[in-house]
């Protein structure tokens, strides 16, 4: 058995209709005036936690707990753009991934953080990912690094594409029953390239939700 790639690969297969596996070659850079795919995706009302947790304030953006256990470290090694909307969308793209792994840790795809930071196909993607880990009997441990982020706004100002690389070379699956960490040798399978379409929740509160997720696996450009 393999570490992180096994549950994620299973989720990718199950969610094939929710993501786009990009073709190899090229930088895949689009012009600022290009239409962002999925930019007109609607939003759903986020659900707050019924009971407050002991998480520190920085773990509760928008009043929603996205805290993770000490051995599950998600690093977002990127600089915020100057554009206010793009910076907010980037922050909540990070919270979207924290929500996914919080769901993995809590063994539920119905955690309030998932509902807060995902909508539409983004919500389906998150639920599929989380349930794949749960069904496999795994949780996660180690460090998952996200880097080389770019942002691109739609003309209407209501959606932002957040694109970035992810390196899971030091992020592993761990069997729930045995606590066995499922390590493998570093490989191209550790690298993914994401494009997340973030849509603005129409309340004026600054909340952004992931509405679509596109993934290029085995992304050589991220090495």
């Amino acid at each position: 058995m393999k570490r992180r790639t096994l549950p994620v690969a299973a989720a990718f297969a199950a969610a094939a209709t929710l993501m786009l596996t990009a073709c190899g070659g090229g930088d895949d850079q689009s012009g600022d005036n290009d239409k962002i795919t999925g930019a007109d995706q609607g939003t759903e009302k986020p659900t707050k936690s019924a009971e407050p947790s002991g998480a520190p304030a920085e773990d509760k953006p928008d009043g929603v707990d996205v805290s993770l256990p000490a051995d599950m470290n998600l690093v977002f090694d990127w600089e915020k753009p100057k554009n206010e909307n793009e910076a907010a969308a980037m922050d909540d793209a990070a919270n979207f991934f924290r929500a996914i792994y919080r769901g993995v840790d809590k063994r539920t795809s119905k955690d309030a953080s998932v509902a807060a930071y995902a909508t539409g196909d983004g919500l389906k993607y998150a639920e599929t990912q989380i349930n794949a880990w749960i069904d496999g009997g795994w949780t996660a441990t180690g460090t998952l690094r996200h880097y080389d982020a770019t942002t691109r706004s739609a003309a209407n100002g209501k959606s932002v594409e957040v694109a970035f690389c992810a390196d899971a070379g030091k992020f592993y699956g761990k069997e729930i029953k045995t606590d066995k960490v499922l390590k493998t040798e570093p490989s191209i399978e550790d690298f993914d390239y994401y494009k997340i379409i973030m849509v603005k929740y129409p309340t004026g509160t600054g909340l952004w939700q992931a509405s679509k997720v596109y993934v290029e696996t085995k992304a050589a450009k991220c090495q």
Side-chain angles (χ1 to χ4, degrees):
M1 295 183 67
K2 305 182 75 173
R3 49 116 192 101
R4 180 208 65 111
T5 52
L6 239 189
V8 173
F12 282 171
T17 59
L18 302 183
M19 63 183 68
L20 171 68
T21 301
C23 297
D27 293 333
D28 195 27
Q29 294 181 347
S30 301
D32 292 341
N33 294 325
D34 290 352
K35 181 178 180 181
I36 299 177
T37 303
D40 57 349
Q41 177 70 42
T43 61
E44 296 175 4
K45 184 176 181 180
T47 303
K48 302 286 186 179
S49 300
E51 299 179 4
S53 75
E58 59 267 25
D59 287 334
K60 294 174 123 181
D62 305 299
V64 181
D65 193 351
V66 291
S67 60
L68 297 170
D71 67 335
M72 195 184 291
N73 186 25
L74 269 60
V75 174
F76 298 90
D77 187 11
W78 56 40
E79 295 183 5
K80 289 185 182 180
K82 294 181 180 180
N83 180 281
E84 183 177 349
N85 279 348
E86 292 182 3
M90 179 181 280
D91 282 344
D92 284 346
N95 288 329
F96 170 63
F97 278 84
R98 292 187 182 103
I100 289 175
Y101 286 103
R102 179 174 171 83
V104 170
D105 176 58
K106 299 299 182 182
R107 317 308 291 163
T108 178
S109 61
K110 304 302 181 183
D111 189 82
S113 62
V114 178
Y117 292 107
T119 188
D121 285 348
L123 181 59
K124 294 175 185 176
Y125 172 86
E127 291 175 342
T128 301
Q129 291 285 314
I130 294 167
N131 288 330
W133 286 81
I134 295 172
D135 293 345
W138 306 295
T139 186
T141 187
T143 298
L144 178 58
R145 180 171 168 256
H146 308 78
Y147 54 99
D148 288 351
T150 61
T151 54
R152 186 163 60 102
S153 297
N156 62 10
K158 295 182 179 179
S159 67
V160 173
E161 176 190 273
V162 181
F164 54 89
C165 289
D167 177 4
K170 296 181 179 179
F171 196 61
Y172 310 107
K174 183 171 71 172
E175 294 179 350
I176 296 292
K177 291 183 178 180
T178 66
D179 280 339
K180 179 182 178 181
V181 177
L182 309 175
K183 293 187 176 182
T184 59
E185 293 298 319
S187 74
I188 187 64
E189 292 185 357
D190 295 326
F191 297 93
D192 298 320
Y193 181 71
Y194 290 90
K195 287 186 178 180
I196 314 296
I197 305 302
M198 303 296 297
V199 292
K200 192 171 185 178
Y201 187 70
T203 61
T205 61
L207 175 67
W208 292 74
Q209 296 176 303
S211 66
K212 289 187 181 293
V213 180
Y214 302 91
V215 187
E216 177 186 344
T217 60
K218 300 181 182 180
K221 61 187 172 186
C222 291
Q223 285 183 304

